[in-house]
Amino acid sequence: MLTAPAPASTALVGVDLGGTKIAAALVGPDGAVLGPLRSRPTPAHDGPAAMLDAIAALVLEVLQQGTSQDPGAPVRPLAVGIGSAGVIDPRTGTVVSATDAITGWPGTAVAAGVCQRLQEAGVNDGVPLHVHVDNDVNAYAAGEAWLGAGAGADSALVVAVGTGVGGAVVLGGRLHHGAHFLAGEMGHMPSGAAAQETCTCGRPGHLEAVAAGPQIARRYREATGAAQVTTALQVERLAEAGDATAKRVYQEAAVALGQAVAAVVTVLDPHKVIVSGGLARSGELWWGPLRQTVRRELVDLVAQDLELVPAVLGTNAPIIGAAHEAWLTLPSRP
């Protein structure tokens, strides 16, 4: 059984839970990362109990390591925030739906399960701990909107483009979840560019089918027969080297994303659009048509003022954001 020593100081714990890795760190109420990032592989196919065990064990490890200023001195957690893959009901910390990237994840009561394990380990002297769980892109957006590229903005659309296409909406400085906790899920918006494509969800015509990294590589392979091309980065490099097909596929992805961003911006009218994920590290070959398409599709009043910017916090964003949301949802704050 996990056991926790007596604490010496207090902090929040932010956890970023993905399909391949779980990462966590101590975070102050002001968003400062107080200790080194710790991580471990995600036991994605070992069942929900193993997942909850791994999350709790990593939280305990982070608490026991102490802060950078006081290493080895255990910390009492003020709250634990978790950004998890899947559609999450943040009111209960339960997984509403998820892909098979994590076996059996739908229906898992993450907040209750992690809280129970930490309580049994003696964390917080066995008193139930506040554990807040939200979608991982929402956690990323919360971090970027608070201290990152969206700092100071009252509203933002955060778009994550990598293995898939995700998003989150910040209104009035807080995450907007929607009636079914799907607000911002842009990957499954209809896209004219994807009319003949099948999305990863099985339905035709969704944005993710043309704009996500693996789909960029797939479309290039289908157009050329080049089986060795498996990543969007390879397609980008081929395009930069003069490959016309690579350039077309890469730019089509950017244009499709730009059209989708413009559609959401027209409805929400946010102060900023923040783009994160692996594709956000692309060069002008991708950013150029993305920005041009967004500007072209928007009415002048919006287009001239809208900031379309890359995320800046990197891997710290979901950890800071998850911790911040846990702090904000504490029933009573010290």
Side-chain angles (χ1 to χ4, degrees):
M1 176 179 290
L2 300 172
T3 58
S9 58
T10 60
L12 302 159
V13 181
V15 181
D16 180 20
L17 170 60
T20 59
K21 183 180 71 173
I22 310 171
L26 295 173
V27 180
D30 62 352
V33 178
L34 303 177
L37 184 74
R38 297 288 185 182
S39 66
R40 61 176 56 200
T42 303
H45 303 298
D46 294 343
M51 289 287 297
L52 297 175
D53 288 345
I55 297 167
L58 185 59
V59 169
L60 187 60
E61 179 183 335
V62 167
L63 293 171
Q64 290 174 334
Q65 77 183 0
T67 65
S68 298
Q69 291 73 32
D70 196 7
V75 174
R76 180 176 68 82
L78 297 168
V80 175
I82 301 172
S84 168
V87 178
I88 310 295
D89 180 346
R91 302 169 303 180
T92 63
T94 301
V95 183
V96 175
S97 68
T99 68
D100 57 6
I102 300 178
T103 302
W105 203 225
T108 303
V110 180
V114 171
C115 180
Q116 178 185 350
R117 284 160 172 78
L118 294 175
Q119 186 179 356
E120 290 173 350
V123 172
N124 206 24
D125 296 324
V127 177
L129 179 66
H130 178 63
V131 178
H132 180 77
V133 186
D134 206 336
N135 168 263
D136 51 356
V137 179
N138 282 347
Y140 195 110
E144 282 290 342
W146 182 34
L147 296 178
D154 182 67
S155 59
L157 170 66
V158 180
V159 185
V161 195
T163 304
V165 178
V169 177
V170 176
L171 298 176
R174 294 299 303 274
L175 288 170
H176 175 69
H177 292 92
H180 303 92
F181 319 111
L182 287 169
E185 282 292 344
M186 293 180 56
H188 302 291
M189 288 178 61
S191 171
Q196 306 303 316
E197 308 280 355
T198 299
C199 182
T200 52
C201 72
R203 293 177 174 83
H206 289 182
L207 175 66
E208 189 167 291
V210 294
Q215 305 310 317
I216 292 173
R218 174 189 59 78
R219 296 185 76 229
Y220 180 80
R221 289 195 304 273
E222 290 177 354
T224 64
Q228 73 277 13
V229 176
T230 58
T231 68
L233 179 58
Q234 289 175 292
V235 179
E236 181 183 17
R237 287 174 175 169
L238 286 166
E240 290 171 343
D243 186 316
T245 301
K247 183 177 181 179
R248 173 181 62 80
V249 170
Y250 213 70
Q251 292 185 334
E252 284 176 351
V255 169
L257 180 65
Q259 291 171 336
V261 167
V264 177
V265 167
T266 299
V267 174
L268 296 181
D269 191 18
H271 288 92
K272 289 188 178 184
V273 175
I274 302 167
V275 185
S276 66
L279 270 293
R281 294 188 286 272
S282 300
E284 191 61 20
L285 179 70
W286 187 80
W287 275 99
L290 173 63
R291 287 196 169 103
Q292 292 164 12
T293 302
V294 171
R295 306 291 181 200
R296 184 177 65 244
E297 296 283 340
L298 293 174
V299 297
D300 290 345
L301 181 62
V302 178
Q304 65 188 5
D305 291 334
L306 180 70
E307 292 185 60
L308 181 64
V309 296
V312 298
L313 293 181
T315 56
N316 281 343
I319 289 171
I320 293 172
H324 185 53
E325 287 299 304
W327 175 250
L328 291 177
T329 54
L330 266 172
S332 61
R333 293 196 290 272

